[in-house]
Amino acid sequence: MHSSITAAYLTRYRSLASAAGTGSDPAPLLPLTGAQRRFLITRHRDRLARTDVVPLFFAFPRGTVDLARLRRAALRLARQHPALCGEFTVLRGTPVLRLGEPSVEVARVPVDPSGAEADRAAGAGQPDGPARAALLRALLDWPTDGPALRLLLAAGPRDEEELLAVALDHAACDEQSLGLVTEGLGAAYADADGGEDLPGAGRAEAVESYRAAVEGQLDAEARAAGEAAQRHWAARLGALADAPEGTGPAGAARSTGMAVDRLPAVTGAARSGVFPALLDAVAAAAHRLDGGDRVLALGYPWGGRPADTAPVLGCFLNTLVHPAPPGPPRPLDALGAEWWDDLDHADTPYDEVVRAARSAGASWSGALDGLLTFEDLHRRPPLVLGGTAGREVHLAGRPLAAPIAVSASHGEDLLVRLAWDRERYADAAAEAAFATLLATLRHHLGAGA
């Protein structure tokens, strides 16, 4: 009989929650999804681990952003969303959200105008390089105990634009959450006289909406962890193996490079093939860098809130694993069929997936050889402050949770970015791998790409 990791967590959580508020700590506790628990357990086990951060960067004309007004807007946004109030913590081995005051920081970041650090961290030739470097340095110094939301503003003494980082603890957000943040922050900023408080009834309603959303997600995860899912993932991932020891530094990459290219947007029926094509392209790039013959583990976030769930901030996605054997590009229809089969089991918690792979003989710890994230920009409202829409920019130098990470954003075009661990791969090798990635994409999507 299969024992569900989710069911075991709920038993421990309910025991803690029933006693919350009766002792020295009056703060109520809320449960966490499987993805949120994984983030917290990783930090709890390794005190040197960095917080997983999801940042967006926007450029505004200098003088646009009023920090005091932005702070009021951030506090008002936080009070609408329990994931931004209190702290994510581990109590007696059980990850929970302990409710409290808004967990928000709004600050101007000092900028070193010398430019030396900027060339290393953000890339030479950028006119706002020192500001980019200052923001990256601040994000790398993110404390493991919060805050959940940081709004950091930076500008060099001669910059015509100022850069705003909107960064969240990954435990508090997923792709849908980013849209809620940009829309909600802009709305609160526009309401200059609205204050930062939310009426008591509104706060109680927000807590119950969050609780219902997480409990609905946990129900879906428990149902998706049955024997059929175990058989599927065992068959799919039984050939995975970790990279040999000593092939690269342990832990998250701390010095990274980035390559960027834009391809024409894919339209019509062909859009359904974009994601399988990206999976095969990332596989080609990863094998170009790995140089071995093992099956690589590529991860990608997928999922969303259960049906009829209120729009709440949180991390409701799951990380799916795509096994990537070496070889030439595969037929797109075969890739698509396998991908759709995997999506039928997309709610299976990651730890259950790892357990299934190991039951089939995989010598795999759950470590990923590459990550792919895909965002449809038509689903995320722009950040508008004081009537001015921020121009989104992308910064190299962020820490990575895998040797390579590919991000694709589909809007007016298809923006593709490859980030790599510079301690593991030389820039020239990574740029060659990026060329392989683009060639594979064009092979699948046609010459127009």
Side-chain angles (χ1 to χ4, degrees), residues 261-266 274 278 374-375 408-416 441 445 449:
D261 204 347
R262 292 181 182 272
L263 306 179
V266 181
V274 172
L278 281 165
F374 181 74
E375 183 180 16
S409 303
H410 206 183
E412 299 303 319
D413 53 21
L414 180 61
L415 173 65
V416 184
L441 265 185
L445 300 179

Short mmCIF file of all heavy atoms in Angstrom, two decimals, residues 261-266 274 278 374-375 408-416 441 445 449:
data_model
loop_
_atom_site.label_atom_id
_atom_site.label_comp_id
_atom_site.label_asym_id
_atom_site.label_seq_id
_atom_site.Cartn_x
_atom_site.Cartn_y
_atom_site.Cartn_z
N ASP A 261 18.54 35.86 -26.96
CA ASP A 261 18.18 36.04 -28.36
C ASP A 261 16.66 36.16 -28.45
O ASP A 261 15.94 35.70 -27.57
CB ASP A 261 18.67 34.89 -29.24
CG ASP A 261 18.84 35.30 -30.70
OD1 ASP A 261 18.36 36.39 -31.07
OD2 ASP A 261 19.44 34.53 -31.47
N ARG A 262 16.20 36.78 -29.52
CA ARG A 262 14.77 36.94 -29.77
C ARG A 262 14.43 36.28 -31.09
O ARG A 262 15.07 36.54 -32.11
CB ARG A 262 14.37 38.43 -29.81
CG ARG A 262 14.50 39.13 -28.47
CD ARG A 262 14.09 40.59 -28.57
NE ARG A 262 14.24 41.28 -27.30
CZ ARG A 262 13.30 41.34 -26.35
NH1 ARG A 262 12.13 40.75 -26.55
NH2 ARG A 262 13.52 42.00 -25.22
N LEU A 263 13.39 35.45 -31.06
CA LEU A 263 12.89 34.80 -32.26
C LEU A 263 11.48 35.32 -32.54
O LEU A 263 10.80 35.82 -31.63
CB LEU A 263 12.86 33.28 -32.06
CG LEU A 263 14.17 32.62 -31.63
CD1 LEU A 263 13.96 31.12 -31.47
CD2 LEU A 263 15.27 32.90 -32.63
N PRO A 264 11.01 35.19 -33.77
CA PRO A 264 9.64 35.63 -34.06
C PRO A 264 8.62 34.86 -33.21
O PRO A 264 8.81 33.67 -32.90
CB PRO A 264 9.47 35.31 -35.55
CG PRO A 264 10.86 35.27 -36.09
CD PRO A 264 11.72 34.74 -34.99
N ALA A 265 7.54 35.52 -32.84
CA ALA A 265 6.48 34.86 -32.09
C ALA A 265 5.88 33.73 -32.92
O ALA A 265 5.80 33.81 -34.15
CB ALA A 265 5.41 35.86 -31.70
N VAL A 266 5.48 32.66 -32.25
CA VAL A 266 4.84 31.52 -32.92
C VAL A 266 3.33 31.72 -32.83
O VAL A 266 2.79 32.00 -31.75
CB VAL A 266 5.26 30.20 -32.27
CG1 VAL A 266 4.61 29.02 -32.97
CG2 VAL A 266 6.78 30.07 -32.28
N VAL A 274 5.41 24.81 -29.10
CA VAL A 274 6.52 25.62 -28.60
C VAL A 274 7.18 24.96 -27.39
O VAL A 274 8.42 24.85 -27.33
CB VAL A 274 6.06 27.05 -28.25
CG1 VAL A 274 7.17 27.81 -27.54
CG2 VAL A 274 5.65 27.79 -29.52
N LEU A 278 10.98 23.60 -26.98
CA LEU A 278 11.91 24.15 -26.00
C LEU A 278 12.55 23.04 -25.17
O LEU A 278 13.76 23.08 -24.89
CB LEU A 278 11.18 25.14 -25.09
CG LEU A 278 10.93 26.53 -25.66
CD1 LEU A 278 9.90 27.27 -24.82
CD2 LEU A 278 12.23 27.33 -25.72
N PHE A 374 8.85 28.93 -18.66
CA PHE A 374 8.17 29.49 -19.82
C PHE A 374 7.06 30.40 -19.32
O PHE A 374 6.27 30.01 -18.46
CB PHE A 374 7.59 28.36 -20.68
CG PHE A 374 6.87 28.84 -21.92
CD1 PHE A 374 7.59 29.32 -23.00
CD2 PHE A 374 5.49 28.81 -21.99
CE1 PHE A 374 6.93 29.75 -24.15
CE2 PHE A 374 4.83 29.23 -23.13
CZ PHE A 374 5.55 29.71 -24.22
N GLU A 375 7.00 31.61 -19.86
CA GLU A 375 5.99 32.57 -19.43
C GLU A 375 5.30 33.18 -20.64
O GLU A 375 5.96 33.61 -21.59
CB GLU A 375 6.62 33.69 -18.59
CG GLU A 375 5.61 34.69 -18.06
CD GLU A 375 6.25 35.79 -17.24
OE1 GLU A 375 7.48 35.98 -17.33
OE2 GLU A 375 5.51 36.47 -16.52
N ALA A 408 12.11 31.30 -21.23
CA ALA A 408 11.50 31.71 -22.48
C ALA A 408 10.25 32.52 -22.17
O ALA A 408 9.43 32.11 -21.34
CB ALA A 408 11.15 30.50 -23.34
N SER A 409 10.11 33.67 -22.81
CA SER A 409 8.96 34.53 -22.62
C SER A 409 8.31 34.77 -23.98
O SER A 409 8.95 35.25 -24.91
CB SER A 409 9.39 35.88 -22.01
OG SER A 409 10.08 35.68 -20.79
N HIS A 410 7.02 34.43 -24.07
CA HIS A 410 6.31 34.52 -25.34
C HIS A 410 5.35 35.69 -25.29
O HIS A 410 4.40 35.69 -24.51
CB HIS A 410 5.54 33.22 -25.61
CG HIS A 410 5.31 32.95 -27.06
ND1 HIS A 410 4.58 31.88 -27.52
CD2 HIS A 410 5.71 33.62 -28.17
CE1 HIS A 410 4.55 31.90 -28.85
NE2 HIS A 410 5.23 32.94 -29.26
N GLY A 411 5.61 36.71 -26.08
CA GLY A 411 4.74 37.87 -26.17
C GLY A 411 4.71 38.34 -27.60
O GLY A 411 4.25 37.62 -28.49
N GLU A 412 5.20 39.56 -27.84
CA GLU A 412 5.30 40.05 -29.21
C GLU A 412 6.36 39.27 -29.99
O GLU A 412 6.36 39.27 -31.23
CB GLU A 412 5.66 41.54 -29.21
CG GLU A 412 4.61 42.41 -28.53
CD GLU A 412 3.23 42.26 -29.15
OE1 GLU A 412 3.15 42.19 -30.39
OE2 GLU A 412 2.24 42.21 -28.40
N ASP A 413 7.28 38.63 -29.28
CA ASP A 413 8.26 37.72 -29.88
C ASP A 413 8.54 36.62 -28.87
O ASP A 413 7.89 36.54 -27.82
CB ASP A 413 9.54 38.47 -30.28
CG ASP A 413 10.14 39.27 -29.12
OD1 ASP A 413 9.82 38.96 -27.95
OD2 ASP A 413 10.92 40.21 -29.37
N LEU A 414 9.46 35.74 -29.21
CA LEU A 414 9.86 34.68 -28.30
C LEU A 414 11.26 35.01 -27.78
O LEU A 414 12.25 34.87 -28.51
CB LEU A 414 9.85 33.32 -29.01
CG LEU A 414 10.26 32.09 -28.18
CD1 LEU A 414 9.31 31.89 -27.01
CD2 LEU A 414 10.28 30.83 -29.05
N LEU A 415 11.33 35.48 -26.55
CA LEU A 415 12.60 35.86 -25.94
C LEU A 415 13.17 34.65 -25.21
O LEU A 415 12.51 34.06 -24.34
CB LEU A 415 12.39 37.01 -24.95
CG LEU A 415 13.59 37.43 -24.10
CD1 LEU A 415 14.69 38.01 -24.99
CD2 LEU A 415 13.17 38.45 -23.05
N VAL A 416 14.39 34.26 -25.58
CA VAL A 416 15.02 33.07 -25.01
C VAL A 416 16.32 33.48 -24.33
O VAL A 416 17.15 34.18 -24.93
CB VAL A 416 15.32 32.01 -26.10
CG1 VAL A 416 15.90 30.74 -25.46
CG2 VAL A 416 14.05 31.68 -26.88
N LEU A 441 15.67 24.77 -31.83
CA LEU A 441 14.38 25.45 -31.86
C LEU A 441 13.95 25.74 -33.30
O LEU A 441 12.79 25.50 -33.67
CB LEU A 441 14.47 26.76 -31.08
CG LEU A 441 14.04 26.77 -29.62
CD1 LEU A 441 14.11 28.19 -29.07
CD2 LEU A 441 12.63 26.20 -29.45
N LEU A 445 10.56 24.59 -35.09
CA LEU A 445 9.54 25.62 -35.30
C LEU A 445 9.54 26.20 -36.71
O LEU A 445 8.68 27.02 -37.04
CB LEU A 445 9.72 26.75 -34.27
CG LEU A 445 9.59 26.31 -32.81
CD1 LEU A 445 9.81 27.50 -31.89
CD2 LEU A 445 8.24 25.66 -32.53
N ALA A 449 11.59 30.91 -37.38
CA ALA A 449 12.09 31.13 -36.02
C ALA A 449 13.56 31.49 -36.03
O ALA A 449 14.10 31.85 -35.02
CB ALA A 449 11.86 29.87 -35.19
#
